[in-house]
Amino acid sequence: MRLAKRIKPTIPWLSLLLSAAKLPYGGQAAIEGVLMKGQEHAALAIRRHSGRIEVIDREVKSHFAWLVKAPLVRGFFILWDMMTLGMWAIRESSQRYEEDLLAAEQQEKAAAAAANGEEPAQPATAAEPSAPQEMPGWLRTLVLLGSLAIALFIFKILPAMAATGAFSLIGWGALSEISHPTFGQQLLANTIEGVVKLAIFVGYIWSVGRLAEIQRVFEYHGAEHIVINAYEHDQDNQDLDFIQRHSVAHPRCGTSFIVILILLSVMLFTVLDWALVSWWPALVVDNIPVWWLRWPLRILALPLLAGLSYEVIKGAFRYYGQPLITPLLRFGMLFQALTTRRPSDAQIEVSLASFNRARYLTEGIAEPAAKRVLAAEAVSSTPASSA
């Protein structure tokens, strides 16, 4: 197994977006597993149905080599790389989860047949899996248009309606009815829209978090955080009791990134609206920039918005502990109560197996053998392709 070259890191990962005092490691939860990333390699540890831990590793290189180093815009391209790696982890872990479910189902059928004195059915061969039925083109287009319509209503029309209703309650009427709206009124309208978007985000995470399967994912998310927190406290202590004493929240979590992004969108979109109203009055209808210019500009501003959010969190973490900075990070960390749960020792072992493999590939530190919990056995496999 090759060791990673010791060069400057280029792709921080979802739950730890930014570099720390020690070598930067980060990760995300998967299906019954945890992904950890070092400098140029990622490791995915999965708890199989038998109790063993399977560890997969791969090289990771950015698709945007020079853009991930460019200030202000690098955050968007780092996010793209992180999403690509995350989809790989979800795909690999879900495939093994389904394999384990199928194997367990076949074992149950065989046991039931043996109890009834019947011959067990022959397990299905994996020679030629049937090709999945492809969705017709017209149906794909219909689903895409329906999804866009729902997203447009939830994240554009509904927040705008909320802002109009709030203005009417205040007694100002709709923003379009205000003669020469001030910057403060524009800011208030965008703030209301941002609050509604944040409420939708919180409501969605809270709703799906009530599902047992998603709660397991949130527990593995907590396991990923808790191992990183313990490493940043003492990089040589991997005792489970020591690790369990740490928090499941981390200031550089991707949940905090999303919250900061929504907050910054309020200010950025206010500036965009104010600039359009002030400088291009011909493109303004009833004090609001025409929709065919306003919404596309907001979409085009997303890379800048992601980049600004990245720089804000990175700068804030660098000065964590300062009176004006700490509240910002802690506000983002509050929302991690929605996406993390306290993990079990078994889940921490999975996170440790992933972390130790990523650390071995990055620093050359030998992986310790699994100690306990379900007689965990670390085994290695390498995916056929590594992008």
Side-chain angles (χ1 to χ4, degrees):
M1 190 176 297
R2 294 178 298 173
L3 298 181
K5 298 178 182 178
R6 301 191 180 192
I7 64 172
K8 187 176 180 180
T10 57
I11 319 173
W13 178 234
L14 182 60
S15 259
L16 288 170
L17 291 169
L18 314 158
S19 48
K22 299 179 175 65
L23 285 173
Y25 294 98
Q28 77 161 49
I31 308 298
E32 291 298 320
V34 173
L35 173 74
M36 288 285 188
K37 184 189 173 298
Q39 293 180 339
E40 291 185 325
H41 289 78
L44 172 64
I46 306 165
R47 175 77 74 182
R48 303 304 296 264
H49 185 71
S50 62
R52 68 186 176 93
I53 301 175
E54 180 179 359
V55 184
I56 311 168
D57 60 71
R58 57 172 282 179
E59 287 186 309
V60 179
K61 293 184 179 180
S62 174
H63 299 288
F64 314 96
W66 65 274
L67 288 172
V68 296
K69 299 178 182 179
L72 296 182
V73 298
R74 58 185 170 183
F76 174 78
F77 298 101
I78 288 173
L79 181 63
W80 186 277
D81 284 333
M82 295 187 297
M83 290 174 60
T84 302
L85 187 59
M87 292 302 295
W88 169 81
I90 295 298
R91 184 175 65 250
E92 293 290 336
S93 60
S94 62
Q95 175 185 340
R96 285 159 177 77
Y97 182 73
E98 291 173 2
E99 290 174 357
D100 288 345
L101 285 181
L102 179 60
E105 182 180 344
Q106 290 175 347
Q107 289 176 1
E108 289 179 2
K109 289 181 179 179
N116 295 329
E118 303 173 357
E119 286 291 330
Q122 292 296 324
T125 60
E128 283 295 331
S130 58
Q133 186 176 0
E134 187 175 351
M135 183 183 297
W138 65 269
L139 185 55
R140 286 201 305 269
T141 302
L142 185 62
V143 170
L144 177 61
L145 291 176
S147 301
L148 289 175
I150 293 173
L152 182 65
F153 175 77
I154 292 176
F155 290 103
K156 292 296 181 184
I157 299 177
L158 190 61
M161 290 172 60
T164 299
F167 271 47
S168 298
L169 289 176
I170 295 173
W172 291 345
L175 187 64
S176 60
E177 300 172 359
I178 301 175
S179 177
H180 305 295
T182 65
F183 181 85
Q185 290 170 326
Q186 296 274 9
L187 177 61
L188 178 60
N190 280 282
T191 299
I192 295 171
E193 291 186 20
V195 169
V196 173
K197 292 175 185 177
L198 188 60
I200 293 172
F201 168 72
V202 170
Y204 171 75
I205 297 297
W206 178 83
S207 299
V208 299
R210 297 176 66 85
L211 301 174
E213 295 84 356
I214 301 300
Q215 288 181 13
R216 292 282 297 174
V217 174
F218 288 170
E219 288 168 2
Y220 277 105
H221 188 196
E224 178 253 319
H225 279 189
I226 206 172
V227 166
I228 294 294
N229 280 326
Y231 164 75
E232 293 180 347
H233 182 193
D234 184 348
Q235 62 182 1
D236 298 319
N237 192 341
Q238 292 197 350
D239 182 75
L240 292 179
D241 293 333
F242 169 76
I243 294 174
Q244 281 283 21
R245 291 200 295 268
H246 289 79
S247 172
V248 296
H250 196 285
R252 297 188 307 254
C253 174
T255 306
S256 299
F257 177 83
I258 294 174
V259 172
I260 298 300
L261 186 145
I262 293 175
L263 294 178
L264 287 179
S265 71
V266 171
M267 202 65 202
L268 180 61
F269 292 162
T270 299
V271 171
L272 281 176
D273 287 347
W274 181 253
L276 290 172
V277 169
S278 303
W279 298 340
W280 290 284
L283 299 176
V284 175
V285 177
D286 295 330
N287 297 322
I288 299 175
V290 289
W291 68 268
W292 51 262
L293 178 64
R294 187 176 189 239
W295 289 358
L297 275 180
R298 291 190 173 199
I299 295 174
L300 292 174
L302 287 178
L304 176 60
L305 184 59
L308 288 174
S309 302
Y310 173 87
E311 302 298 339
V312 166
I313 297 181
K314 183 173 183 177
F317 184 79
R318 185 176 301 159
Y319 299 101
Y320 187 67
Q322 299 296 322
L324 297 179
I325 299 299
T326 302
L328 176 65
L329 291 179
R330 287 186 175 173
F331 177 75
M333 291 170 68
L334 288 176
F335 293 87
Q336 293 178 41
L338 295 168
T339 61
T340 60
R341 301 289 188 273
R342 175 63 58 176
S344 65
D345 285 355
Q347 291 168 319
I348 291 178
E349 274 201 335
V350 175
S351 184
L352 275 175
S354 178
F355 175 76
N356 287 330
R357 174 63 59 83
R359 196 177 182 192
Y360 166 71
L361 293 169
T362 302
E363 303 178 59
I365 298 176
E367 301 173 70
K371 297 178 181 179
R372 52 177 175 168
V373 183
L374 296 180
E377 168 193 332
V379 298
S380 302
S381 64
T382 303
S385 62
S386 59

